Amino acid sequence: MKTFTLKNGLVIPAIGFGTYKVNVESVCMAIEAGYRYFDTASFYGTECMISEAISRSGMKREDFIIASKLWKTDMGYENTLKAFNLTLENLRTDYVDVFMIHWPNRELNLETWSAMEELYSQGKIRVLGLSNFLPYHAEEILNHCKIKPLIAQLEFHPGHTQTFALNYYREKGILLQAWSPTARGRVLDDVLIRELSEKYHVSQVQICLSFCLHENVMPLPKSSSLERMKENLASMEIEIEPEDIMRIENMPPMGWGGEHPDRERIKI
């Protein structure tokens, strides 16, 4: 299985499993399919499902990489410590592999990060991260932090590659993860994605996931079907030709979910 190695030496799978709006049976199937990286958040309400699925699997906690995120209303120094303890209770563990701020809040980013650094120094978090932070949000953290973020999450998929942010995080040595790597299906009927699906004899979803990996971006797909879960993992073995990668990179804008950290959500 392909992996990414973070700047602190932690090796993580190249594809993770997203748990937004999933149930415990889906998480159990994902473990059966071979997923070992699970992305959750307090806002998702799926932390308990991950702990239950791991318990049912009979596998060890250390066999998994678990990432969770701190919600907007839990930011601030004391609130962060309280919310993190609840996350530990939900996950039935004494540490989280990756812990992120879910959305930026310029008034609270730094004191929230300070609390996360304290938890990191106590060995309760292995990697600190940022979710939905654009470069100018991340710059504030990087200019003041003692412990740097090693992972960042953004909406990323064909038609919405956020090139400036991607290059920024690459330059900083921060792994970019793609939430909504298929734009929740909105790009799957695009003429180019369909063409490449036929050319490489794989699904449209696999084209999207393989594209992420070719950009050194870690996708976080989800599915409720065991067959599709396995198919998604098999995307790691697909080799898209450089010319076709460039064609995807130059697709017209499409598929954006309507969420921006500094603006009201647009319903798409």
Side-chain angles (χ1 to χ4, degrees):
M1 179 178 287
K2 291 184 179 179
T3 59
F4 287 107
T5 301
L6 303 181
K7 285 295 183 180
N8 67 347
L10 181 64
V11 179
I12 63 175
I15 296 181
F17 189 80
T19 63
Y20 182 54
K21 293 185 177 180
V22 304
N23 55 39
V24 67
E25 285 73 22
S26 293
V27 182
C28 288
M29 274 194 290
I31 293 174
E32 180 183 347
Y35 288 88
R36 296 296 179 263
Y37 186 109
F38 289 89
D39 178 78
T40 184
S42 59
F43 179 75
Y44 297 172
T46 56
E47 292 172 332
C48 291
M49 296 178 191
I50 291 176
S51 60
E52 176 62 23
I54 290 175
S55 176
R56 291 188 195 181
S57 74
M59 299 176 68
K60 298 177 181 178
R61 162 66 180 91
E62 54 266 33
D63 293 331
F64 298 90
I65 302 291
I66 302 176
S68 194
K69 296 181 280 291
L70 180 81
W71 188 239
K72 302 173 184 179
T73 53
D74 293 324
M75 292 179 69
Y77 187 86
E78 293 297 336
N79 286 341
T80 297
L81 298 179
K82 292 177 183 177
F84 181 79
N85 284 333
L86 182 57
T87 284
L88 290 184
E89 290 178 19
N90 290 338
L91 291 170
R92 286 186 263 169
T93 184
D94 56 3
Y95 72 98
V96 175
D97 297 282
V98 182
F99 196 62
M100 307 182 185
I101 302 177
H102 205 147
W103 288 90
N105 179 332
R106 289 189 171 184
E107 295 181 359
L108 297 173
N109 286 339
L110 292 181
E111 64 174 284
T112 298
W113 195 258
S114 178
M116 290 167 59
E117 288 179 326
E118 180 177 319
L119 294 165
Y120 178 95
S121 68
Q122 295 171 358
K124 296 180 179 179
I125 301 173
R126 299 175 74 188
V127 171
L128 302 183
L130 305 169
S131 177
N132 299 300
F133 277 59
L134 295 172
Y136 56 90
H137 300 118
E139 194 74 1
E140 179 186 32
I141 297 291
L142 290 169
N143 286 339
H144 294 89
C145 67
K146 297 176 183 176
I147 301 166
K148 293 183 178 181
L150 299 182
I151 290 178
Q153 284 187 6
L154 287 175
E155 180 180 357
F156 179 96
H157 50 74
H160 190 67
T161 54
Q162 307 214 55
T163 304
F164 182 85
L166 174 60
N167 289 334
Y168 172 85
Y169 283 120
R170 279 175 176 166
E171 291 172 2
K172 300 296 183 181
I174 297 171
L175 174 67
L176 186 65
Q177 294 180 329
W179 63 261
S180 194
T182 67
R184 295 176 183 163
R186 289 186 292 271
V187 300
L188 299 183
D189 286 328
D190 175 74
V191 60
L192 176 60
I193 300 301
R194 281 191 167 277
E195 175 193 329
L196 296 180
S197 171
E198 294 176 5
K199 176 179 177 177
Y200 293 97
H201 306 289
V202 297
S203 71
Q204 294 102 303
V205 171
Q206 286 178 302
I207 291 295
C208 293
L209 300 183
S210 181
F211 169 70
C212 289
L213 294 172
H214 278 78
E215 298 288 88
N216 286 316
V217 173
M218 178 182 174
L220 301 169
K222 67 176 184 178
S223 176
S224 58
S225 160
L226 180 61
E227 181 180 352
R228 285 195 294 272
M229 290 176 187
K230 292 179 178 179
E231 186 178 85
N232 290 347
L233 284 178
S235 302
M236 289 186 279
E237 307 306 321
I238 299 169
E239 294 294 333
I240 302 177
E241 296 172 4
E243 180 181 347
D244 290 330
I245 292 292
M246 287 191 287
R247 293 173 72 197
I248 299 174
E249 289 173 334
N250 288 280
M251 283 172 57
M254 65 177 66
W256 177 50
E259 293 185 274
H260 187 283
D262 295 331
R263 303 193 179 196
E264 291 293 323
R265 181 178 182 180
I266 299 173
K267 294 184 179 180
I268 304 297

